[in-house]
Amino acid sequence: MSEQPIDTDLVARENAARQSALERDYEALGEQLDRRGIPIDAIRDKVAAFAVAIPSWGVGTGGTRFARFPGPGEPRDIFDKIEDCAVIHQLTRATPTISLHIPWDRAEPALLKEAAARRGLAFDAMNSNTFQDHPGQHHSYKFGSLSHTDAATRAQAVEHNLECIEIGRAIGSKALTVWIGDGSNFPGQSDFARAFERYLDSMKQIYAALPEDWRLFTEHKIYEPAFYSTVVQDWGTNYLIARELGEKAFCLVDLGHHAPNVNIEMIVSRLIQFGKLGGFHFNDSKYGDDDLDAGVIDPYRLFLIFNELVAAERRAVPGFAPAHMLDQSHNVTDPIESLMLSAVEVTRAYAQALLVDRTALDAFQEENDALMASETLKTAFRTDVGPVLAMARLRSGGAVDPVAAYRASGYRRKVADERPAARGTGGGIV
Amino acid sequence: MSEQPIDTDLVARENAARQSALERDYEALGEQLDRRGIPIDAIRDKVAAFAVAIPSWGVGTGGTRFARFPGPGEPRDIFDKIEDCAVIHQLTRATPTISLHIPWDRAEPALLKEAAARRGLAFDAMNSNTFQDHPGQHHSYKFGSLSHTDAATRAQAVEHNLECIEIGRAIGSKALTVWIGDGSNFPGQSDFARAFERYLDSMKQIYAALPEDWRLFTEHKIYEPAFYSTVVQDWGTNYLIARELGEKAFCLVDLGHHAPNVNIEMIVSRLIQFGKLGGFHFNDSKYGDDDLDAGVIDPYRLFLIFNELVAAERRAVPGFAPAHMLDQSHNVTDPIESLMLSAVEVTRAYAQALLVDRTALDAFQEENDALMASETLKTAFRTDVGPVLAMARLRSGGAVDPVAAYRASGYRRKVADERPAARGTGGGIV
Amino acid sequence: MSEQPIDTDLVARENAARQSALERDYEALGEQLDRRGIPIDAIRDKVAAFAVAIPSWGVGTGGTRFARFPGPGEPRDIFDKIEDCAVIHQLTRATPTISLHIPWDRAEPALLKEAAARRGLAFDAMNSNTFQDHPGQHHSYKFGSLSHTDAATRAQAVEHNLECIEIGRAIGSKALTVWIGDGSNFPGQSDFARAFERYLDSMKQIYAALPEDWRLFTEHKIYEPAFYSTVVQDWGTNYLIARELGEKAFCLVDLGHHAPNVNIEMIVSRLIQFGKLGGFHFNDSKYGDDDLDAGVIDPYRLFLIFNELVAAERRAVPGFAPAHMLDQSHNVTDPIESLMLSAVEVTRAYAQALLVDRTALDAFQEENDALMASETLKTAFRTDVGPVLAMARLRSGGAVDPVAAYRASGYRRKVADERPAARGTGGGIV
Amino acid sequence: MSEQPIDTDLVARENAARQSALERDYEALGEQLDRRGIPIDAIRDKVAAFAVAIPSWGVGTGGTRFARFPGPGEPRDIFDKIEDCAVIHQLTRATPTISLHIPWDRAEPALLKEAAARRGLAFDAMNSNTFQDHPGQHHSYKFGSLSHTDAATRAQAVEHNLECIEIGRAIGSKALTVWIGDGSNFPGQSDFARAFERYLDSMKQIYAALPEDWRLFTEHKIYEPAFYSTVVQDWGTNYLIARELGEKAFCLVDLGHHAPNVNIEMIVSRLIQFGKLGGFHFNDSKYGDDDLDAGVIDPYRLFLIFNELVAAERRAVPGFAPAHMLDQSHNVTDPIESLMLSAVEVTRAYAQALLVDRTALDAFQEENDALMASETLKTAFRTDVGPVLAMARLRSGGAVDPVAAYRASGYRRKVADERPAARGTGGGIV
């Protein structure tokens, strides 16, 4: 096993204190699942194999346009971020990869690989950034990037994405995620059709540079930072993009990027059916792109999405291999704690979805027994799979209770001493 | 015990087949709760004492403006409805009262009382109806009722509510629920201020006729049947009404009557804090006033509402006694089945809310430990309280699995034979 | 000119009383537009050539699931409806076609053609109905139609659509509009992917029967009558349908069928860009599918949609020929009045969009001068084009003030005498 | 007249070039209004007397949590801001006051007064800021301010508001506006009732310090920066606050702070009716608190709000004196241009509302003639009042076309030279 940031003896002691209760609960649940014809150990093993990527930016404290309130021990650079990610994976055993964001995480590739490998981590999808202006940049993205009316600005944005691919290639990534802020704040500001044509043209250049074994993920979002229209506003447009680009292009679904009331699990189903589901940015939301911790607002919705994923797995949909990533903004919690619990929560939804009696569900659907079909899902959702998740962690060397172990370890206090506060508070963007 | 519509031997047999598994699960859960410091039997007893009223109209198949697709054995009158309600209560033991709707349920009060008493049922809040025109009515409610510009129409609507009080008094009801469809479809159609003045004036007349020991519930709704404005559009207006009327006036909260994204549990908290929470019309919704079965879309939201109610109980808020009623439209299910499961679901949310470790929660709130505060609620919500609910039913003479027992009983087939299909399909209102 | 239901002398008198003021206003506006480089007569002529279809069901009073409040003189059959449509077209000169709904409007094709021709009217798209059960039908649509799990039910729904094509062929229609209510009310009730496969399979059968010179319009809707999921939920799915079916298949956009906040004009642009915009069901909405009169809630949104249409016209997008139809529910107004004003309102948006200085707009967009781009649209929108519309009507033999002429004619009182009230009020679908 | 930042000769030349066309349009409109019984000069004079305040922060470029893209010549301090505000008022004659934000605008009161007076400006409501942490502050607002669980933090926030009152008193302000970001991101994080009690307690201390002739404005907002709950979430809570505090306390309505689909003009009516409308933060929005320029998304909604205000004026509601302020975030435009056009747009809505034939409207409402009531509003809204607004500006010494005059003046280039770029781009708050 790789070097671990948290003392493994401490984790062992923490686990020991919880082990007997866990075994009792696991046994009781096992007996109940057995009555339902489900072997608990098989679920546990599937859970143990499940993984979700951590976005490098997630380990820093987030903020809003009104303010950012940093916490102690904020990571100062990508190496600090890798360290924090290692904590998350050590305790949850569910987050073996990190998703980098360029230019924020720019560093010598060899050093990046070495730092990650030392902690037993690897790199997930690369994320480009053309929604901000960066020092030394020639053209501003104030009025767009890949869809900008100015060809030189578009070229610069394309070039940046190519650089992201290069870095990714060097560190073992296999995918590029493109999210842009392009759009408009006023009716008339942008010609929808021309802007989309320019976007597609830029994306084709990026797609052309994609290595053979890579995937390209595009992400839609209904609004913010543009407040009247966005170029990639919904899954309909996102699907058109993926189809126009080619077979390595797929759609990424962020749970907070939809209009109010939209049925997200249905979008997931459509994208699977038409071969274009790329993966997810998991988080939760009540209003807009709130970027809250996965499952804290509507855990049943998260379950319903995994219900589609497990159903597709079971149908053995060709080429079905969605990428899982958290994408959250932690404004009022310790980011490490939020990311640990969110990884657990996503895994929980997966475990619950594995418990759905799909033979019964198929029959109820066929007979239009809506009530029992619903109950079949609810029965799976209501099952407290906590013991399964904890047992999977325990057997993989993680923590039975990740937050408790983390708090006991004093990691945050330690890094607070090591990492001097740097960035000031946000200012006056209202 | 009163006469029961379902053969009690059949129920006993159904229960016997499930009893041993139930006992195993109850025991295992009991042990787990014991570790959390919660005596499971106390929870079971609180659950057994919980009740939610059935709306008489709920046992008929609902519909939309596009169509209504009746099922077999639709109740022909209030006496059939009482029979169906008796089934629900027999199997769930959670629905001892029926809420009548006048004029739909108009009948000889003595006969109503007798029919209910025979089944061990009583009457909940009376519901008036001034959102439809009824045969023999002098003035149309096309343009409003209690807020109509025409004084005679308002007087007729007031008079109808007084009749509802009279009937209710005769059958032992203790509350009147007033929901109106008044509003407008066009900007300019209605003067907001004058319409509200007229509404308040009408309501004051109704309030004046309210018996001493009654409560008056008013219900807000953002839209439908009016599509630009409604007179009682939200809790703000509803609160103003209750305050203007007096101390017997309270606000009713229907979960589907709010704008998208609104935090309903917070409204519940505000109404409790200012002494004006009257009670609930429970259902679930994804888009508008969908009137779906409680908890089928967002069970965590239902839990969060009960979290407020249990917290208020614990704080012993003076005068806190919210009325619970289901208000759903069953378009694609057997209404009896939907109402049984919905009653169970509401009770489930109550049971989960009872499990919240409130001492810990208070401390986390005080310290702004948002993550652990959230986890404290989630821990309660994730607990599979099914065994507690089933045990409470079993001990009260209900069914361990109400739907299974109901299906086994053949009740629907029996009433389908007895009750000839009457009403046609809906027509052409598009 | 064909026979007219309203006395043409009366119309002439009404017009005479308004002519001099109209000419003054037209002249003043002409002078102003001249300064902006726009020849007013050219706009007037384009306006005169604009047409929007009337849905046959629109001339009856609509309703909600709560109630329907009929007005006097409700049309008793399709021939009464044709008569009412003739009034609308006589006074507005903007509605030369009627869109039939089968089976509601089933009649001898020869009689239909004769009745319409006598009034100078023709037939627009045919509308099938598989969202209701009709007398004599073998299989119920309670659980779906074209996507039903039962093959026989799907076959029946396909057959009904083929009949609609046959009737349409006989009366000179050139399009079929398919809107279904299929969907689900409970998570789990329906398998999204299978339901959509069945839907596509049914639609392919209908498409195969489409005459060479016809178009097939499919209509998406986010919810209602299904309240958890609908099979054709948004433009993304609608696009997939049109693409799967073939080059005669197009997407229909109803302004009230989207999630809250969705940018509809952008959807219009996307569909134009990818060759799949079929046309519109015009109406307005504040909350859901409110089916309010076009432009009464958000006239600027209507303008922005026409801004896309006029821009596409100007770009001479190949095959661009969107169908225009009103689709509204008139609950509190005289349907004839609402449809006249709505036709005027839609025409107004078209006229305003014609005034946009597109050369200036293009330049502002190119330079990212968001403020002036917005002002360019607003300048067109703010122009009071009423005199242009009225002049176009006057010169085509319509009424300067359609509602005033209609009220003066006494048409409603006349038909109220001729057409005895038939249908009762809606009942108890809550 | 006071010193003006823009050369008055230039303004005069710009106006001269437009005067003859303006006079023609004014005359033609005057004739048309005369036919409608409306004296155009009276409207012009009311328009000339109308004013809306400029928020000091509005003249800087805004941003989102993703990025801020500053423009040239950003104001460096409150004195630069006053200068920019002077330009807006000089050209529009509609914005004689500035609303300060503390601590951003902290400066020697005497200097503030002098700088404003020199430009003919005065000070509007003071705005406190407890949603950010400021240098030197003892307690962080990360977890709230006026409602914080910690008494010392609450005291600090109260103290800050008292300082705002002191500064305001010194510079001639007559109102304090309190908007807080307090709320929660997780269910359970905050106890709704206790948080509101603490908030009310803090506000009572602030209220107690309010000078006799001041007003206290509280502002509600459904979400952001808190994403699960906010303490002052809607007008219902805002009303409770104003009532609890006393007769100097009023509710402020920001057009972007409501749930989707909410009828804002109705809220305005309710607050007027119950004596608690304090005023407005004008802006426009399509999705959330988008802070777009007033009237660019839904100009009819803005008109409907002014329709309520003018109706209240006409009814001579006692104590009715709403405060008008713009509150926008200008991300992609020159803030001065946006604020000028927004002031014009707000004035336009007022002018249109003045044109409503209220006698006719009253009658249509009384008769439930929904169609003609709507048309009565639409007729006023459709009237192109541009010439009235321009004439009012011309006669008050402003610009016929404020943006054209501003651009011709070269003001932005001038200040770009004088004011070196200071703040960097926003960073990494995602």
Side-chain angles (χ1 to χ4, degrees), chain B residues 34-57:
Chain B
D34 195 57
R35 267 183 263 132
R36 288 155 62 183
I38 304 168
I40 192 169
D41 291 353
I43 302 297
R44 181 200 61 203
D45 293 346
K46 286 203 156 205
V47 159
F50 183 86
V52 56
I54 300 293
S56 67
W57 60 94

Side-chain angles (χ1 to χ4, degrees), chain D residues 141-193:
Chain D
Y141 297 135
K142 181 168 190 164
F143 299 106
S145 59
L146 294 170
S147 78
H148 200 289
T149 52
D150 173 53
T153 310
R154 294 199 300 277
Q156 173 185 287
V158 168
E159 190 54 42
H160 167 71
N161 276 278
L162 301 189
E163 184 203 350
C164 291
I165 294 174
E166 278 322 295
I167 298 172
R169 210 202 281 259
I171 62 173
S173 174
K174 292 290 178 199
L176 173 68
T177 295
V178 179
W179 174 70
I180 57 167
D182 295 38
S184 69
N185 276 2
F186 290 78
Q189 177 184 344
S190 177
D191 181 283
F192 298 140

Side-chain angles (χ1 to χ4, degrees), chain A residues 226-247:
Chain A
F227 293 111
Y228 165 65
S229 72
T230 54
V231 173
V232 189
Q233 91 277 25
D234 62 13
W235 80 272
T237 290
N238 205 351
Y239 171 80
L240 287 170
I241 294 164
R243 204 201 55 183
E244 291 284 314
L245 292 183
E247 56 184 19

Side-chain angles (χ1 to χ4, degrees), chain A residues 24-25 31 35 295 369 378, chain B residues 24-25 31 35 295 378:
Chain A
R24 287 290 295 137
D25 289 342
E31 186 198 314
R35 268 182 263 131
D369 190 341
K378 292 297 277 296
Chain B
R24 288 288 295 137
D25 290 342
E31 187 197 314
R35 267 183 263 132
K378 293 296 279 297

Side-chain angles (χ1 to χ4, degrees), chain D residues 126 165 168-169 173-176 210-215 248:
Chain D
M126 301 300 295
I165 294 174
R169 210 202 281 259
S173 174
K174 292 290 178 199
L176 173 68
L210 209 66
E212 259 323 288
D213 58 346
W214 276 47
R215 288 189 290 172
K248 292 181 291 185

Side-chain angles (χ1 to χ4, degrees), chain C residues 21 24-25 31 35 261 286-287 295-297 300 337 341 345 348 369 371 375 378 382 384 407, chain D residues 21 24-25 31 35 261 286-287 295-297 300 337 341 345 348 369 371 375 378 382 407:
Chain C
R24 289 288 295 136
D25 289 342
E31 187 196 314
R35 266 183 263 133
N261 302 345
K286 185 163 179 61
Y287 305 99
V296 299
I297 298 297
Y300 195 48
E337 296 187 1
L341 277 197
E345 200 65 17
R348 183 188 314 277
D369 189 341
L371 187 107
E375 269 300 285
K378 292 296 278 295
R382 282 180 205 132
D384 184 355
R407 291 191 174 187
Chain D
R24 288 288 295 137
D25 290 342
E31 187 197 313
R35 268 184 263 130
N261 302 344
K286 185 163 178 62
Y287 304 100
V296 299
I297 298 295
Y300 195 48
E337 296 187 2
L341 276 198
E345 200 65 17
R348 184 188 313 279
D369 190 341
L371 187 107
E375 269 300 286
K378 292 295 279 295
R382 281 179 206 132
R407 291 190 174 188

